[in-house]
């Protein structure tokens, strides 16, 4: 299985002014850098937790027709927009017969489709889904705080990072992320 970001967020859970206030910056010289570091921090938090903070579209590609439910990540899943099955060497797919989301776990979906059509075997299934939040006021405040703290950390250590050196994540960010980490048994 592979996941590919199709459409990145249009809205961020922070404004440039919020970042500058958190970083105690009162000039405009680093505005582009600060925003870029904020986006980098958001993406880091999202990857670490396998969540989408802001609304974005993703493509999941699975081999053949999946026989078991698929876990869509990142979550939370807002909607499943399409499921298409590709047969043989064709670049034209056919919509799946059905897509079923699991009520108890909306990030799990089952896809139903024939394993072959006209003697051509299914080679892959592509699922397009939207994840995250369209309302930035629904972002958990501590996740937003983690993004802000990480942005400040990146800004404070920008010369070290630019030289390709590793800079450890602040413990405050680590503890916030640990509190949000999903444990699977």
């Amino acid at each position: 299985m592979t996941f590919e970001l199709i459409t990145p967020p249009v809205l961020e859970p922070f404004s440039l002014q919020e970042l500058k206030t958190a970083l105690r910056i009162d000039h405009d010289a680093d505005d582009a850098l600060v925003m870029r570091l904020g986006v980098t921090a958001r993406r880091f938090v999202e990857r670490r937790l396998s969540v989408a903070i802001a609304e974005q579209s993703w493509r999941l590609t699975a081999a053949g027709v999946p026989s078991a439910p698929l876990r869509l990540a990142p979550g939370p899943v807002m909607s499943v927009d399409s499921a298409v099955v590709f047969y043989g060497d064709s670049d034209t797919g056919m919509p799946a017969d059905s897509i079923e989301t699991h009520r108890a776990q909306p990030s799990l979906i089952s896809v139903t489709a024939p394993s072959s059509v006209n003697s051509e075997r299914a080679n892959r299934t592509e699922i397009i889904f939207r994840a995250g939040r369209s309302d930035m006021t629904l972002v958990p405040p501590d996740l937003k705080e983690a993004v802000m703290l990480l942005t400040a950390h990146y800004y404070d250590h920008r010369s070290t990072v630019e030289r390709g050196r590793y800079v450890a994540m602040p413990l405050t960010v680590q503890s916030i992320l640990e509190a949000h980490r999903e444990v699977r048994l």
Side-chain angles (χ1 to χ4, degrees):
M1 268 191 314
T2 60
F3 291 90
E4 174 189 2
L5 177 64
I6 299 171
T7 308
V10 175
L11 297 173
E12 292 293 341
F14 50 79
S15 67
L16 174 61
Q17 192 54 52
E18 285 176 305
L19 289 175
K20 287 174 68 172
T21 299
L23 276 62
R24 296 186 177 138
I25 297 174
D26 59 2
H27 57 81
D28 298 337
D30 290 339
D31 284 4
L33 171 66
V34 168
M35 213 45 202
R36 198 169 57 247
L37 293 174
V39 169
T40 300
R42 178 200 35 91
R43 290 179 60 209
F44 176 87
V45 168
E46 288 176 333
R47 280 190 312 274
R48 182 59 65 100
L49 296 176
S50 191
V51 301
I53 293 174
E55 182 178 344
Q56 46 201 271
S57 296
W58 286 83
R59 175 184 295 120
L60 161 65
T61 303
V65 176
S67 57
L70 298 170
R71 179 173 299 280
L72 301 179
V77 174
M78 296 173 69
S79 68
V80 176
D81 298 333
S82 69
V84 178
V85 181
F86 294 84
Y87 296 91
D89 295 330
S90 175
D91 283 338
T92 305
M94 296 176 58
D97 292 343
S98 71
I99 307 166
E100 179 185 337
T101 56
H102 296 253
R103 288 181 189 248
Q105 293 183 313
S107 64
L108 283 180
I109 67 163
S110 296
V111 176
T112 306
S115 59
S116 64
V117 170
N118 298 332
S119 73
E120 296 283 340
R121 296 212 43 85
N123 65 27
R124 74 182 187 279
T125 300
E126 290 184 359
I127 299 164
I128 307 293
F129 65 98
R130 288 182 310 127
R133 297 163 185 85
S134 56
D135 182 352
M136 293 298 101
T137 62
L138 299 177
V139 174
D142 56 343
L143 279 187
K144 187 174 176 179
E145 185 66 22
V147 170
M148 304 288 245
L149 289 167
L150 199 52
T151 303
H153 180 69
Y154 289 163
Y155 186 80
D156 289 345
H157 296 91
R158 63 192 174 277
S159 62
T160 305
V161 172
E162 288 170 357
R163 291 192 305 254
R165 302 185 87 146
Y166 174 76
V167 178
M169 181 177 24
L171 289 175
T172 50
V173 173
Q174 240 175 338
S175 43
I176 291 170
L177 298 185
E178 278 298 312
H180 280 272
R181 195 170 60 88
E182 182 179 320
V183 178
R184 292 191 189 134
L185 301 176

